[in-house]
Amino acid sequence: MLVSRKWLEQYVDLDGISTEDLAEDITKAGLEVEEVRGPVLNDENIVVGYVQECVQHPNADKLNLCQVDVGDGERAQIVCGAPNVSEGQYVVVAKPGARLPGGLKIKKAKLRGEVSEGMICSLQELGFEDKYVPEDFKDGIYVIDEEVAVGEPACPLLNLDDAVIEIELTANRSDCLSMIGVAYDVAAVYEKDLKLPEPTVYIENELSSDYISVEIENDKANPYYGAWIIKDLDIKASPLWLQNRLISAGIRPINNVVDITNYVLMEYGQPLHAFDYDRFKSQKVVTRMANEGETIITLDGEERTLSPEHLVITNGQSAHAIAGVMGGEESEVQDDTTTVLLEAAYFNPSVVRQGSKDHGLRSEASSRFEKGVDITRVKEAATRAAQLLSEIAGGKVLGEMVEKGSTEWNPKIVEFTASEINQRIGTEIAIDEMKNIIERLRLDYEVNGESFTVKAPARRRDISIKEDMVEEIARLYGYDRIPYTLPEGVMKKGGLTPRQKLVREVNQYLQKAGLNESLTYSLTKEDWANQFVSPEIKALGLEPVALALPMTDLHSHLRLSAIPELLSSVQHNVARNQYNVALYELGSIYLQKEKDQQPEENMRVAGVITGLWEDHPWQGEKKPVDFFVIKGILEGLFVHLHDEEVAFEKAELDRLHPGRTAVMKLNDDIIGYVGQVHPTVQKEYDLQDTYVFDLNLDQVLEAVQYREDYRVITKYPAIAQDLAFVVDRDLPAKQLEDAIKEQGQPHLETVRVFDVYQGEHMEEGKKSIAFNLIFQNDERTLKDEEIEEARQKIVKHLENEYQAVLRG
Amino acid sequence: MDYIYHEEVYKLKERLNEIKEEALEQIQSAVDEKTLQDVRVYFLGKKGQITEVLKGMGKLSKEERPVIGQLANQIRDEISEALETKKTKLEQAALEQQLEEEAVDVTLPGRPVQAGGPHLLRKVIREIEDLFTSMGYSVAEGPEVETDFYNFESLNLPKNHPARDMQDTFFITKELLMRTQTSPVQARTLRKHEGQGPVKIICPGKVYRRDTDDATHSHQFTQIEGLYVDENIRMSDLKGTLNVFAKHMFGEDRAIRLRPSFFPFTEPSVEMDISCKICQGEGCSVCKGSGWIEILGAGMVHPNVLEMAGFDSNQYKGFAFGMGPERIAMLKYGVEDIRHFYTNDIRFLKQFHGV
Ligand SMILES: [Zn+2]
């Protein structure tokens, strides 16, 4: 909502209040000011001039030499290049010393040998936006088409000295979608008188009802309709003051009739519509719901197909307007219009909303109807328009607007006590001050002791419950004056849940392990949504959840793994020469197990690493990431969470390297995977070797075991033994390790692979694998024989079970 | 007593002195321990020069032997001592050489610690979580794919409510949508409490809006909301709580300002501004000349929301607030483009790993 200060001053005295203070004060009261614009220009050297003489410049074809009366008997010679300048015009003259909005300073000068004492201005030169410049003056100077005094300052005349405040209204404050509504609030803020218009109109003897009747078919959709006939109109440009008002409100002047309905729209917030009565071709207005498939060509020239959800204004046969949304082309007011049918109506907000939504038409009018106009002022607004049509457009207003329906309003009654209000705000506002605030708001009220009863008027339909009055009183009392307190209730224990703490642990662990926490989009491309999905999720056989109306194909489906978007982040980095990238993301995937049902959300942690893992070049240490780097990070995580039962098993998964991928299992359930991105996929993303993991964090966290005891550090020595075997190359080390662990009981503490060798000096298809075994007993020193016995048992078992050959 | 010695005595004496000269000279010129060892063996060994001399003592008289014996011992000691001294010297030199060889250029770069770190948004969220949990709040979470009921209806936004801007919402079906706010978590949590206060939660999480991604819009972003429902909660409590938050997040010197606003689920509703750090309230381009920067929305929980969740709105009151960690991060660090938060450029991420 654009609010002209000068317009506002018609209703409220703002003397002594700067525009900046006004903006701040109404912002604090709830009308948030986005911007204060202007004044564009207020220069006394810019005046009205009268062109007394205009001849061609003796030395230039395209220039004119004008003798201009600039007031006080002063006459200036001005060289003017505008094609439309001529003798007898009232024009705007910038005298020497004037400064124009572009920064141009006017000086006395000589142009082609002739003295020029100033400049005759175009509207653009005076700072008008192009869209507000009438067609006639687009390519030349502005000619004032009104009686004006020569020498009069021109800036106020053109409203250039006005300041316009742009207010960002919240959805509940539709009362301020009108100048009068804003005036009410400003008057309340400053405790000022409010001077509202009191429209009166001279009425002809002839009656509107001789020309028109009104029929309402659906009074829910259209509770009230008024039709007024105004004859003998002279359609032309509006007077300057009216154009100024509209321009300050951001509306382009068109002609006097249209401008007047727009003016009343902005002043009262009441949309009016003027039909060309002769083109309406009927003596009756019938408002009804449209028929299915009925069509209308609206003012914008578009043919619209209607349905029974839309309210239309008809002439008894065809639709001439979509009620509250847009008029029809057929009965549009044109230059030759002489009689108008002025519509002043109240339409149901949701019906208008439906119409404007379905037809994609949002206008100043529809947005006001949608929020509910002040039904008690419909007639007053119509009278205001009729008055102006008579005063400005020479119209003859016929007797009595023809009305159907009712403008009655049942005010909402809100009851409260002063102490209730104070308790809710946390203040001690005195009863008298509350009374004063309610009076400033101009609300009808009664007070009995500390009990208030407020009748909320139709203009303030946002007030309906006690809490609304809390807000009204608080905002005028001043939010600044509310004290700072903290709740006094019983202290409640808060904090993170054990699971939330664990999630933080996981984050911290992964960050310490060298991964960068990342955030990617949950909504991804359709094909990506189904890629890199962990086998246990894939096994559910789900389709990714799809948006009904995505904005773009890039974000149309909910992911089943974060890996594709993470890979895209890696790609982004690599493309910018950031080759070493380690990212992880902790977030949901979305499992819709039943059609149209709310999906389950599975918290996962996914990671990706590419490039060098060790990078210390001057010491010659540059080690690219490999499978065991990323596996080590995950193993460390499981150790950290005491989830040590997680097993890694070789797996072949889509889009992953068949020889470098494992699934992770917890109690035989797959909980994720880890592996290298398949070389062909790496090529798709333009990546070097890149490793990924995707882990079901919900399951991991469920299996977490907290450390609950302590193991005394033994004073007895541990005994180490190394064993190396030659085995089949395909035999997984983990099988040997598990077998050794089992056979080495009860004293075998740890088993660790310390060497793996295959290749030269090794039989085809074989490998050598060496283990370091640590034996330990907490209560005593182990005997050599015990170790030897365990060792032999292990060797024998491995020889028998795995055809392992012990290396000397 | 004076003796006239046998001539042999003089010869032996001379020999011993020669040995001494010779030994000391060799010790002097020795450059390593091996040489010293050889010198020791050659002169002092069982078959060494001094032993040789002593073997010649057989020709001497009983009185003469001690003379030579004594001299031999004395020279032996002198050589030993010289050997010892030299050895220490050589060791010292060797150590010095070793130390010199081991010296490093301390200005060369150290081995980088391979460490990652938190994402800026999560860091902001955790900081807010920590503040409010320290004030007795719990952290509540909820689904990102929500029902229309929890995302809208339970928050006083019935179907066809004008403030429900459908254009903003990613729908999946008529009833399912990507939550547009974390407020449904409040509704869910309230319901779980079955009309029994107090409820004190903050709800962080991802939310989604039908926006085209650009420098200031993101179709996915984060929110963190707070809710406190109890008997006798006042608007001044909201103001006090937000003041604690603003000073904690932005600095003790920042002032706050509440302005009336509108949200369907609160009444009264407010927006909170903090004083602009750049211009100290004088007005600048960052604060669009107002001296204030909008930080969050808040208000007193609408009685309809309480009633729908099973709370008696006469008995219970509450306040709620909600903010965007993106906005807070952008203001705090001057991040100019919201897309940075979701691009995961390493050069961006790494900047916020430290304190
Ligand atoms: Zn500023």
Side-chain angles (χ1 to χ4, degrees):
Chain A
M1 176 80 189
L2 297 174
V3 177
S4 146
R5 178 184 168 113
K6 279 166 79 178
W7 192 348
L8 186 60
E9 282 174 328
Q10 278 179 222
Y11 317 112
V12 190
D13 177 12
L14 295 176
D15 255 9
I17 300 166
S18 73
T19 307
E20 286 65 37
D21 286 348
L22 174 65
E24 180 162 353
D25 293 338
I26 63 175
T27 295
K28 284 204 273 189
L31 306 182
E32 188 186 353
V33 173
E34 272 287 293
E35 202 187 349
V36 177
R37 295 179 212 156
V40 175
L41 198 60
N42 198 5
D43 191 326
E44 294 197 336
N45 285 313
I46 299 172
V47 297
V48 173
Y50 179 71
V51 183
Q52 291 175 323
E53 198 188 309
C54 177
V55 296
Q56 201 190 310
H57 190 292
N59 307 320
D61 281 358
K62 292 196 170 164
L63 296 180
N64 300 292
L65 202 56
C66 306
Q67 304 302 324
V68 184
D69 180 357
V70 291
D72 294 332
E74 207 185 317
R75 187 172 144 143
Q77 171 170 298
I78 298 174
V79 174
C80 177
N84 65 334
V85 64
S86 72
E87 210 172 286
Q89 287 174 334
Y90 287 94
V91 293
V92 178
V93 176
K95 299 198 291 186
R99 193 181 280 279
L100 296 182
L104 179 69
K105 195 161 179 202
I106 305 299
K107 287 184 212 140
K108 192 169 163 177
K110 251 190 179 172
L111 287 167
R112 296 279 182 103
E114 290 293 340
V115 170
S116 184
E117 299 161 292
M119 178 170 134
I120 303 177
C121 302
S122 69
L123 289 176
Q124 290 96 329
E125 283 160 341
L126 292 167
F128 272 69
E129 281 180 63
D130 226 28
K131 62 177 173 182
Y132 297 128
V133 177
E135 210 49 57
D136 292 352
F137 308 124
K138 278 229 152 68
D139 301 310
I141 55 157
Y142 178 61
V143 181
I144 305 168
D145 186 23
E146 253 170 60
E147 263 182 56
V148 281
V150 171
E152 185 188 339
C155 292
L157 195 69
L158 294 170
N159 207 39
L160 294 168
D161 60 338
D162 197 5
V164 175
I165 295 172
E166 186 183 352
I167 301 175
E168 177 85 29
L169 283 175
T170 52
N172 60 330
R173 292 305 303 276
S174 56
D175 60 302
C176 288
L177 283 169
S178 67
M179 290 304 299
I180 289 177
V182 173
Y184 265 103
D185 234 41
V186 172
V189 167
Y190 292 114
E191 205 171 346
K192 295 261 189 186
D193 288 341
L194 189 59
K195 292 165 291 185
L196 294 178
E198 286 166 5
T200 52
V201 60
Y202 176 79
I203 290 171
E204 305 292 322
N205 288 330
E206 222 178 340
L207 295 176
S208 288
S209 55
D210 292 342
Y211 287 75
I212 202 80
S213 67
V214 175
E215 203 177 299
I216 293 174
E217 277 190 11
N218 184 331
D219 60 2
K220 276 239 165 58
N222 182 191
Y224 174 80
Y225 197 97
W228 212 337
I229 300 296
I230 294 119
K231 283 169 70 176
D232 295 347
L233 290 159
D234 179 14
I235 307 276
K236 57 180 179 185
S238 296
L240 258 184
W241 72 264
L242 179 53
Q243 294 195 30
N244 288 341
R245 291 288 180 257
L246 292 183
I247 290 171
S248 71
I251 294 172
R252 192 166 59 91
I254 294 168
N255 61 48
N256 49 9
V257 172
V258 176
D259 290 355
I260 286 165
T261 57
N262 280 334
Y263 177 81
V264 176
L265 170 73
M266 298 315 294
E267 186 176 43
Y268 280 85
Q270 171 65 44
L272 301 169
H273 187 70
F275 296 96
D276 180 317
Y277 177 74
D278 298 317
R279 294 188 168 95
F280 192 70
K281 287 187 197 135
S282 163
Q283 296 205 355
K284 74 178 174 186
V285 171
V286 179
T287 77
R288 58 165 169 83
M289 305 318 288
N291 301 317
E292 187 68 56
E294 190 174 356
T295 59
I296 179 177
I297 296 173
T298 43
L299 284 173
D300 53 5
E302 295 279 318
E303 191 186 57
R304 314 270 175 182
T305 306
L306 306 162
S307 82
E309 288 188 296
H310 307 132
L311 180 69
V312 285
I313 312 304
T314 73
N315 61 358
Q317 287 169 340
S318 59
H320 278 251
I322 306 174
V325 179
M326 197 179 256
E329 195 179 58
E330 205 182 333
S331 46
E332 182 181 5
V333 170
Q334 294 179 16
D335 288 350
D336 62 356
T337 299
T338 56
T339 305
V340 299
L341 159 58
L342 181 70
E343 165 195 291
Y346 183 89
F347 301 120
N348 183 305
S350 57
V351 171
V352 174
R353 187 161 187 252
Q354 190 73 44
S356 81
K357 196 180 115 192
D358 292 351
H359 299 292
L361 288 172
R362 260 247 159 111
S363 61
E364 296 276 1
S366 70
S367 64
R368 284 170 176 79
F369 274 129
E370 281 176 31
K371 284 166 179 149
V373 298
D374 181 351
I375 194 167
T376 62
R377 275 198 165 101
V378 182
K379 270 165 93 172
E380 188 183 325
T383 309
R384 177 72 162 151
Q387 177 191 12
L388 293 170
L389 285 168
S390 139
E391 287 172 9
I392 290 169
K396 293 201 170 75
V397 179
L398 303 197
E400 295 304 310
M401 178 161 70
V402 179
E403 297 177 73
K404 267 284 150 64
S406 155
T407 57
E408 229 174 284
W409 173 258
N410 288 326
K412 292 257 170 57
I413 309 291
V414 183
E415 291 174 327
F416 55 88
T417 65
S419 47
E420 247 179 331
I421 299 286
N422 277 321
Q423 165 55 33
R424 291 179 185 218
I425 308 176
T427 44
E428 285 165 17
I429 305 170
I431 292 176
D432 280 347
E433 190 168 1
M434 270 189 211
K435 274 158 68 175
N436 170 269
I437 287 170
I438 294 165
E439 275 161 22
R440 280 155 64 193
L441 287 164
R442 292 176 165 76
L443 303 176
D444 280 345
Y445 76 103
E446 280 165 30
V447 62
N448 189 352
E450 68 145 12
S451 298
F452 286 81
T453 306
V454 165
K455 270 192 207 165
R459 67 182 165 85
R460 289 301 306 272
R461 53 175 68 207
D462 58 315
I463 300 175
S464 62
I465 57 172
K466 210 174 280 181
E467 285 71 16
D468 299 322
M469 282 312 297
V470 173
E471 174 162 41
E472 290 303 307
I473 291 168
R475 76 185 176 94
L476 284 173
Y477 174 74
Y479 280 8
D480 289 350
R481 291 166 69 196
I482 298 174
Y484 297 96
T485 61
L486 288 175
E488 284 164 356
V490 192
M491 183 63 191
K492 187 174 176 283
K493 189 192 156 293
L496 298 178
T497 62
R499 184 192 147 94
Q500 286 162 347
K501 284 183 192 156
L502 281 178
V503 169
R504 285 207 181 182
E505 281 288 336
V506 171
N507 274 301
Q508 278 169 15
Y509 167 81
L510 291 171
Q511 289 164 24
K512 276 189 221 156
L515 301 182
N516 298 286
E517 186 178 25
S518 305
L519 282 171
T520 63
Y521 298 125
S522 316
L523 287 161
T524 188
K525 295 190 230 180
E526 181 168 12
D527 53 343
W528 282 11
N530 231 338
Q531 288 176 2
F532 290 101
V533 181
S534 192
E536 87 279 14
I537 301 300
K538 196 144 236 175
L540 300 172
L542 308 174
E543 286 299 314
V545 180
L547 293 183
L549 274 174
M551 293 283 281
T552 150
D553 290 346
L554 295 176
H555 311 296
S556 58
H557 287 71
L558 280 167
R559 65 185 181 192
L560 288 172
S561 168
I563 294 296
E565 290 283 345
L566 279 173
L567 283 175
S568 162
S569 289
V570 173
Q571 185 183 30
H572 165 97
N573 278 289
V574 169
R576 283 155 189 80
N577 303 334
Q578 303 293 314
Y579 301 111
N580 307 332
V581 186
L583 307 175
Y584 82 93
E585 178 173 3
L586 211 144
S588 291
I589 61 167
Y590 310 83
L591 312 174
Q592 194 169 42
K593 295 189 174 168
E594 263 172 86
K595 194 174 180 300
D596 296 345
Q597 292 300 300
Q598 194 171 13
E600 275 174 32
E601 289 174 31
N602 173 212
M603 167 99 85
R604 301 189 75 89
V605 56
V608 48
I609 309 179
T610 191
L612 296 177
W613 186 246
E614 306 270 336
D615 184 16
H616 191 42
W618 74 263
Q619 286 190 312
E621 291 166 48
K622 281 169 93 104
K623 185 177 162 352
V625 60
D626 63 19
F627 182 83
F628 300 101
V629 165
I630 197 159
K631 183 184 177 188
I633 291 172
L634 291 166
E635 285 174 324
L637 176 65
F638 301 135
V639 170
H640 191 78
L641 299 173
H642 304 293
D643 250 353
E644 288 167 60
E645 299 310 312
V646 177
F648 291 75
E649 281 176 21
K650 183 170 165 35
E652 287 186 25
L653 303 178
D654 195 26
R655 301 184 80 77
L656 290 157
H657 191 306
R660 295 180 173 180
T661 298
V663 289
M664 292 170 272
K665 283 185 167 179
L666 185 69
N667 309 322
D668 294 331
D669 294 330
I670 294 181
I671 55 163
Y673 66 85
V674 53
Q676 185 187 337
V677 176
H678 196 287
T680 59
V681 179
Q682 285 178 174
K683 223 173 256 167
E684 272 173 40
Y685 281 93
D686 247 332
L687 300 176
Q688 298 298 307
D689 283 4
T690 300
Y691 287 82
V692 294
F693 69 85
D694 185 343
L695 181 63
N696 188 330
L697 195 63
D698 284 330
Q699 265 175 285
V700 169
L701 294 184
E702 232 166 80
V704 162
Q705 296 184 31
Y706 290 93
R707 167 64 86 184
E708 277 169 345
D709 57 359
Y710 154 74
R711 179 173 161 185
V712 176
I713 296 165
T714 180
K715 57 185 178 193
Y716 300 101
I719 294 162
Q721 276 275 323
D722 290 346
L723 288 174
F725 298 96
V726 174
V727 293
D728 283 347
R729 198 171 149 172
D730 293 340
L731 185 64
K734 183 73 168 49
Q735 280 190 30
L736 292 173
E737 190 187 311
D738 287 348
I740 293 169
K741 256 187 199 156
E742 201 188 305
Q743 298 300 317
Q745 291 315 310
H747 302 306
L748 181 58
E749 182 86 15
T750 58
V751 180
R752 203 163 59 108
V753 176
F754 74 89
D755 187 50
V756 178
Y757 179 78
Q758 55 199 36
E760 232 184 309
H761 308 303
M762 189 59 58
E763 195 185 326
E764 184 69 23
K766 297 280 182 188
K767 68 179 169 192
S768 153
I769 180 161
F771 297 92
N772 175 261
L773 284 57
I774 308 277
F775 294 90
Q776 173 91 68
N777 184 311
D778 288 353
E779 268 101 46
R780 60 182 173 81
T781 304
L782 288 170
K783 294 190 200 104
D784 288 349
E785 306 88 75
E786 286 175 302
I787 307 295
E788 185 51 31
E789 194 184 316
R791 189 187 123 95
Q792 279 178 19
K793 197 174 157 208
I794 291 164
V795 172
K796 205 166 160 200
H797 181 81
L798 264 52
E799 282 171 351
N800 291 340
E801 291 295 314
Y802 303 102
Q803 289 73 52
V805 177
L806 182 69
R807 302 186 83 193
Chain B
M1 205 189 299
D2 204 33
Y3 292 101
I4 304 297
Y5 298 123
H6 197 271
E7 195 192 348
E8 194 59 21
V9 174
Y10 295 102
K11 263 190 180 166
L12 287 174
K13 266 191 178 174
E14 201 175 329
R15 177 68 193 131
L16 279 171
N17 281 324
E18 268 171 30
I19 286 170
K20 178 182 159 190
E21 289 302 313
E22 222 175 302
L24 290 179
E25 202 184 298
Q26 283 187 24
I27 290 166
Q28 181 62 37
S29 60
V31 291
D32 53 23
E33 275 193 69
K34 171 81 175 61
T35 317
L36 288 181
Q37 192 54 37
D38 292 348
V39 171
R40 181 183 295 278
V41 171
Y42 181 74
F43 293 103
L44 308 180
K46 280 180 184 159
K47 290 171 186 164
Q49 295 298 305
I50 289 183
T51 313
E52 283 305 310
V53 173
L54 293 178
K55 275 181 189 164
M57 284 204 306
K59 298 166 189 165
L60 302 188
S61 68
K62 199 171 125 198
E63 289 76 25
E64 285 168 338
R65 276 182 203 161
V67 176
I68 293 303
Q70 254 174 25
L71 183 63
N73 279 341
Q74 186 192 327
I75 285 175
R76 189 191 295 270
D77 287 350
E78 270 177 62
I79 293 173
S80 288
E81 199 186 314
L83 278 167
E84 226 26 66
T85 308
K86 181 69 181 185
K87 191 180 161 207
T88 311
K89 241 188 196 164
L90 284 177
E91 278 172 1
Q92 191 63 34
L95 181 61
E96 265 161 32
Q97 193 187 350
Q98 183 195 349
L99 292 176
E100 200 180 314
E101 280 166 4
E102 284 173 356
V104 298
D105 177 354
V106 299
T107 65
L108 276 169
R111 187 191 182 82
V113 173
Q114 188 53 268
H119 190 282
L120 175 55
L121 286 182
R122 288 272 168 81
K123 195 168 159 168
V124 168
I125 290 171
R126 284 176 201 126
E127 191 177 344
I128 298 169
E129 283 176 354
D130 290 346
L131 171 69
F132 283 100
T133 52
S134 80
M135 302 199 304
Y137 289 71
S138 302
V139 178
E141 290 152 308
E144 291 166 32
V145 180
E146 258 300 358
T147 59
D148 186 273
F149 176 79
Y150 278 112
N151 195 72
F152 289 125
E153 281 180 59
S154 69
L155 298 166
N156 203 27
L157 275 158
K159 290 207 160 94
N160 288 319
H161 191 284
R164 218 198 224 217
D165 204 340
M166 311 303 270
Q167 306 302 318
D168 264 8
T169 310
F170 282 125
F171 277 91
I172 290 160
T173 67
K174 246 182 130 122
E175 295 300 325
L176 275 187
L177 45 86
M178 300 306 296
R179 69 177 177 195
T180 58
Q181 46 196 4
T182 49
S183 326
V185 183
Q186 299 188 7
R188 283 177 178 276
T189 311
L190 277 176
R191 222 155 236 263
K192 262 188 229 149
H193 278 76
E194 297 179 333
Q196 245 351 90
V199 178
K200 249 179 120 173
I201 51 165
I202 51 162
C203 324
K206 292 176 185 159
V207 298
Y208 304 83
R209 297 269 170 97
R210 243 174 143 268
D211 263 325
T212 302
D213 296 341
D214 61 23
T216 52
H217 297 84
S218 182
H219 76 275
Q220 174 184 320
F221 55 102
T222 60
Q223 250 189 9
I224 188 159
E225 296 195 322
L227 172 73
Y228 194 154
V229 171
D230 202 352
E231 295 172 8
N232 302 322
I233 295 288
R234 302 158 297 183
M235 221 174 143
S236 57
D237 297 331
L238 170 63
K239 193 174 170 183
T241 302
L242 293 180
N243 192 44
V244 169
F245 160 76
K247 296 207 144 84
H248 176 83
M249 270 327 263
F250 296 99
E252 285 298 321
D253 56 338
R254 308 295 280 278
I256 69 162
R257 170 175 91 166
L258 298 189
R259 281 182 288 107
S261 187
F262 173 73
F263 307 107
F265 32 87
T266 49
E267 185 67 44
S269 300
V270 305
E271 270 174 309
M272 184 187 84
D273 302 331
I274 57 164
S275 54
C276 178
K277 183 169 80 174
I278 303 202
C279 64
Q280 309 282 345
E282 290 297 309
C284 68
S285 63
V286 172
C287 58
K288 290 195 210 148
S290 71
W292 296 96
I293 292 174
E294 191 180 315
I295 292 293
L296 57 77
M300 305 305 290
V301 181
H302 197 288
N304 290 357
V305 173
L306 289 171
E307 294 287 343
M308 262 187 285
F311 277 76
D312 178 352
S313 68
N314 287 316
Q315 185 190 357
Y316 284 102
K317 307 278 174 269
F319 65 68
F321 55 85
M323 65 194 101
E326 276 88 347
R327 181 168 176 75
I328 290 173
M330 288 171 101
L331 285 173
K332 232 180 140 167
Y333 299 96
V335 176
E336 82 295 357
D337 191 326
I338 198 168
R339 288 169 295 198
H340 285 318
F341 295 115
Y342 298 95
T343 313
N344 302 312
D345 191 307
I346 283 284
R347 293 164 298 180
F348 178 81
L349 296 178
K350 293 257 185 214
Q351 289 183 47
F352 306 103
H353 286 179
V355 288

